[in-house]
Amino acid sequence: VSKAIPISDEQTTAIISQIDRSIASFIESKEFPKQLHNAIAYSVLNGGKRLRPVLAWYASMACGSSGKDALPAGIAVELIHAFSLVHDDLPALDNDELRRGKPTLHIHTNEPMAILAGDAMLSLAYEAIIDTASADLTQKLLAELALGTRSMIIGQVFDTLGGLPDEITPEMQLRLIHKNKTGALLVASCRMGALCGGASKEQLVLITEFAESIGLQFQIVDDLLDIEGCPTLVGKALGKDAQAGKITYPAVLGVERSREIAQELSAVANRALDGLEKLHSGGAESLRDLLTRLEHRKQ
Ligand code: IPE
Ligand code: IPE
Ligand code: MG
Ligand code: MG
Ligand code: MG
């Protein structure tokens, strides 16, 4: 049984404060009717781990840069993530009333606002990048963000409406759902962070290997938490996946095997970090610490 390690250490907590201040001032700088502004702020700032901008920051560091240069990219992915959660919770999708220990946006406001605030965050994400980076970098970041977003939506379609290829094994079907609905945005976070940090081709390949592993692992742990998590720490209604008959790792492969796969994915991710360490000594340490906390996360 793993100990409850907090998801953020001291360094990460300080970075998250910077991220939150930047998100707040970014949405402050755009014109919105008050109620839309409030709905966006509620969705993107009210709780949450900020994993995606933290990953972008640490991926930049792993490539030998400061991390801070990945802030706009991180904000962009966090906005896409917040949009995906608001829509994921709608009655037409997962029909959830609790997120981050608080009422979901459509409960806090109403369904039209939840749909429209989601739409607004999708669009704002692109502005976050266009506003800041150089032209050459902007083009690369936009391509990563668009691919990550499209993949996330494809994953949500598989998750909610099915349509998976039936000639592949159930385990491959699981991989396909999770890689898309959750992995793709984590891959985008890491790759965008690395690009902001001036990654070489070799570094980008290793960062992608790392991100694909933790992307899959993150959703496996989310599936496990839905079964055996602590409701207060998770901040969501639990047991919903089984109730809705979702195709999850524990549902298809069992809890024990799912835990094993999560561990195996940590080993793969660690090997990618070893490779990054060889290219830039000391740079991947923050990603390594984060990886340990992610495997054992309780929230
Ligand atoms: C929840 O993501 C949805 C999944 C992709 C599993 P997070 O667990 O990162 O949610 P917050 O942002 O911390 O609330
Ligand atoms: C969500 O997967 C993935 C998204 C793209 C939002 P889940 O439906 O399992 O996420 P939670 O458990 O509601 O956070
Ligand atoms: Mg869902
Ligand atoms: Mg959900
Ligand atoms: Mg879930």
Side-chain angles (χ1 to χ4, degrees):
V1 184
S2 51
K3 283 197 288 328
I5 308 169
I7 192 80
S8 297
D9 62 359
E10 228 173 89
Q11 176 190 225
T12 312
T13 305
I15 290 171
I16 290 173
S17 320
Q18 284 199 60
I19 291 166
D20 282 357
R21 280 198 304 275
S22 302
I23 294 176
S25 63
F26 173 68
I27 57 177
E28 225 28 84
S29 74
K30 301 290 167 196
E31 253 179 60
F32 297 111
K34 191 80 194 140
Q35 84 250 48
L36 180 56
H37 174 275
N38 291 346
I40 292 169
Y42 186 86
S43 312
V44 80
L45 286 169
N46 210 5
K49 298 182 283 295
R50 304 289 175 274
L51 172 63
R52 291 144 192 87
V54 167
L55 277 172
W57 191 295
Y58 288 157
S60 156
M61 278 171 60
C63 298
S65 194
S66 68
K68 196 168 181 187
D69 46 13
L71 193 47
I75 291 173
V77 187
E78 190 66 15
L79 282 160
I80 299 285
H81 168 60
F83 137 65
S84 81
L85 295 182
V86 166
H87 282 192
D88 180 73
D89 290 333
L90 283 168
L93 280 91
D94 288 354
N95 191 21
D96 271 306
E97 302 195 345
L98 193 70
R99 163 133 347 245
R100 299 169 170 174
K102 301 188 184 80
T104 47
L105 183 61
H106 67 274
I107 298 295
H108 178 69
T109 58
N110 51 58
E111 275 184 53
M113 180 54 89
I115 293 169
L116 294 167
D119 294 343
M121 290 188 282
L122 168 58
S123 165
L124 271 176
Y126 289 86
E127 286 189 74
I129 289 174
I130 292 164
D131 282 2
T132 51
S134 73
D136 181 45
L137 183 58
T138 299
Q139 196 185 7
K140 291 192 178 122
L141 296 178
L142 291 177
E144 296 289 340
L145 191 66
L147 174 60
T149 306
R150 172 157 54 89
S151 304
M152 179 275 287
I153 294 166
I154 290 170
Q156 288 287 69
V157 169
F158 286 150
D159 174 282
T160 306
L161 301 168
L164 288 149
D166 51 17
E167 67 277 11
I168 59 174
T169 64
E171 189 165 352
M172 279 167 78
Q173 291 187 334
L174 271 170
R175 257 184 186 265
L176 198 58
I177 301 171
H178 284 33
K179 178 184 151 206
N180 282 289
K181 78 166 179 173
T182 299
L185 282 183
L186 298 195
V187 170
S189 306
C190 291
R191 286 178 57 91
M192 289 166 77
L195 288 167
C196 293
S200 66
K201 279 213 176 97
E202 217 180 342
Q203 284 174 319
L204 206 51
V205 168
L206 289 164
I207 275 287
T208 308
E209 271 173 36
F210 166 81
E212 286 174 349
S213 303
I214 62 154
L216 192 54
Q217 184 194 60
F218 191 78
Q219 186 60 47
I220 296 175
V221 174
D222 183 82
D223 293 350
L224 285 166
L225 289 174
D226 186 75
I227 293 174
E228 53 185 17
C230 156
T232 336
L233 286 175
V234 176
K236 307 188 268 198
L238 301 184
K240 292 288 307 278
D241 292 339
Q243 207 182 309
K246 295 270 182 184
I247 303 177
T248 66
Y249 269 74
V252 176
L253 301 174
V255 167
E256 280 312 315
R257 181 69 194 125
S258 303
R259 283 208 201 102
E260 273 170 28
I261 296 174
Q263 272 175 23
E264 287 162 18
L265 289 164
S266 276
V268 177
N270 263 312
R271 277 200 295 280
L273 295 182
D274 293 342
L276 283 162
E277 276 294 322
K278 284 199 190 104
L279 297 173
H280 182 82
S281 175
E285 280 318 305
S286 298
L287 281 183
R288 181 115 49 203
D289 289 349
L290 182 59
L291 173 61
T292 314
R293 293 196 300 276
L294 283 177
E295 191 191 323
H296 301 287
R297 75 191 172 95
K298 301 282 176 226
Q299 59 188 95

